Amino acid sequence: MKKVVTFGELMLRLAPQGYYRFQQVDSFGATFGGGEANVAVSLANYGYDACFVTKLPKHAIGQSAVNSLRRYGVNTAHIARGGDRVGIYYLEKGASQRGSVCIYDRAHSAIQEASSADFNWEEIFKGAEWFHFTGITPALGQNMVNVCLEACKAAKKAGVKISCDLNYRGKLWTREQARTAMTELCKYVDVCISNEEDAKDVFGIEAANSDIYGGKLDKEGYKSVAKQLADTFGFEKVAITLRTSISANDNDWAALLFDGTDYCFSKEYHMHIVDRVGGGDSFGGGLIYALLEGKSTQDAVEFAVAASCLKHTIEGDYNMVTVDEVEKLAAGNASGRVQR
């Protein structure tokens, strides 16, 4: 069983039912999620030893967060316990031309106030083949930039491949802060995952002749973005997810995977969205699985995009699909017919 380590914040998600706005409700549904935790759940569902690393309080809400991962088979043995808070985010689902709204309440969370002393990376990476983090984790504070750097150095020492989803979050840090931190961290990264906005926001690299808000994406421009990222940091592979937002409910979804030689574009899916949150993370989980399984560049991007397409049909942050379901969609079974 292949072991993959992911590292980041697990948050409590509070959301109105359906498409109600915050001001309309007097109760919120409670679930858990977070970029790297979402990747771990995907990989556990694919049969891997998915080890998620974070810090959570010892109280009942912290334990509930841990349990939300354990129920799907995620390895929680290296979660540090301590601190006072579980970070919270409030999600209001968008519909039609009204976009979704996300409000963070994560200041002073246990992971945000974590330190190097909380994590024994040499022990954590024993037997591991892959390490994944996102740009959200170092955005939590300079202490987390330092911890991520320590993790990357330990992963390299252990011969572990590293992937990073740039995941720029303007509510957490500035572009200048992101560029400084991610420039240093990306020196250790083998596989970079980005989207049509992140490369521009973090590194000032953008696709020509594209308008993400007007629904215009130029494939040649994204080839250039992928090559610039690879040339700048020496990435082995660069994946760029390509989302055309027709409305909050309907998106076209595809991706590019560049392996240093070939530019492989996936097929494009027209998605009617149930829950968009975690879509990029499910792409990352699918890509890690496909690459560890030795799939070709084309097959790897097809698997990752299909996995993410399915996530958009599932409530909550976690992608509850199997390898078989993903492979059937990647092979062309996209009718959505009842399975009997």
Side-chain angles (χ1 to χ4, degrees):
M1 183 186 295
K2 294 182 173 67
K3 179 181 176 181
V4 177
V5 176
T6 75
F7 174 58
E9 182 168 23
L10 181 60
M11 304 182 72
L12 173 65
R13 164 175 160 172
L14 298 177
Q17 182 181 5
Y19 294 100
Y20 284 99
R21 305 214 71 183
F22 291 135
Q23 300 94 325
Q24 290 180 280
V25 300
D26 55 13
S27 63
F28 292 84
T31 55
F32 292 92
E36 299 88 350
N38 300 341
V39 171
V41 172
S42 282
L43 292 167
N45 285 331
Y46 299 153
Y48 279 10
D49 177 10
C51 177
F52 177 63
V53 181
T54 191
K55 185 174 183 178
L56 288 165
K58 294 181 180 179
H59 57 50
I61 304 303
Q63 189 60 47
S64 295
V66 173
N67 292 348
S68 78
L69 298 170
R70 287 179 174 170
R71 69 181 296 188
Y72 300 119
V74 173
N75 182 342
T76 62
H78 295 289
I79 292 180
R81 304 303 295 270
D84 298 318
R85 290 200 68 210
V86 176
I88 299 170
Y89 81 96
Y90 299 87
L91 177 69
E92 178 184 275
K93 281 190 185 179
S96 192
Q97 278 66 50
R98 175 173 59 85
S100 296
V101 177
C102 182
I103 298 174
Y104 292 123
D105 178 16
R106 67 202 304 175
H108 305 294
S109 67
I111 186 66
Q112 188 181 46
E113 297 186 345
S115 70
S116 301
D118 290 308
F119 309 105
N120 182 342
W121 293 111
E122 182 179 356
E123 181 67 26
I124 290 168
F125 286 127
K126 282 183 179 178
E129 297 185 41
W130 201 284
F131 173 55
H132 177 77
F133 70 104
T134 78
I136 298 172
T137 303
L140 297 176
Q142 185 58 47
N143 59 318
M144 293 309 296
V145 174
N146 297 337
V147 173
C148 285
L149 188 58
E150 292 166 1
C152 286
K153 289 179 178 179
K156 280 297 179 188
K157 184 177 180 180
V160 174
K161 290 284 187 184
I162 301 175
S163 59
C164 177
D165 189 332
L166 296 181
N167 260 354
Y168 176 72
R169 295 292 186 266
K171 292 182 179 181
L172 295 179
W173 58 356
T174 67
R175 289 179 175 84
E176 292 73 22
Q177 289 173 318
R179 184 169 302 182
T180 298
M182 297 308 294
T183 295
E184 180 63 25
L185 289 167
C186 281
K187 294 176 182 178
Y188 300 89
V189 171
D190 300 293
V191 177
C192 176
I193 302 170
S194 182
N195 66 18
E196 60 267 29
E197 299 171 81
D198 290 338
K200 177 182 177 181
D201 286 333
V202 179
F203 297 122
I205 297 172
E206 60 183 308
N209 302 318
S210 287
D211 177 7
I212 61 173
Y213 298 106
K216 178 185 177 186
L217 300 180
D218 180 76
K219 288 186 175 182
E220 292 302 315
Y222 287 106
K223 287 183 180 180
S224 173
V225 169
K227 191 172 191 310
Q228 287 180 70
L229 285 169
D231 288 348
T232 300
F233 296 102
F235 299 135
E236 292 179 10
K237 292 180 174 64
V238 177
I240 299 178
T241 56
L242 305 173
R243 184 188 297 273
T244 302
S245 186
I246 301 162
S247 71
N249 300 98
D250 294 281
N251 289 183
D252 290 333
W253 182 245
L256 159 68
L257 182 59
F258 175 57
D259 62 9
T261 302
D262 297 320
Y263 299 90
C264 295
F265 285 88
S266 73
K267 63 172 67 71
E268 185 176 66
Y269 295 93
H270 177 70
M271 305 184 301
H272 187 70
I273 297 171
V274 171
D275 192 329
R276 173 175 166 169
V277 177
D281 305 321
S282 58
F283 175 88
L287 184 65
I288 292 167
Y289 173 84
L291 293 176
L292 280 174
E293 291 299 302
K295 291 182 182 290
S296 69
T297 301
Q298 186 67 54
D299 288 344
V301 73
E302 295 289 2
F303 185 93
V305 170
S308 185
C309 178
L310 289 172
K311 165 61 195 75
H312 285 77
T313 71
I314 296 170
E315 293 279 7
D317 284 53
Y318 299 155
N319 192 20
M320 307 311 305
V321 297
T322 65
V323 170
D324 183 60
E325 288 173 319
V326 177
E327 289 185 336
K328 283 180 178 177
L329 178 56
N333 185 359
S335 67
R337 292 175 64 86
V338 175
Q339 303 297 309
R340 301 186 189 277

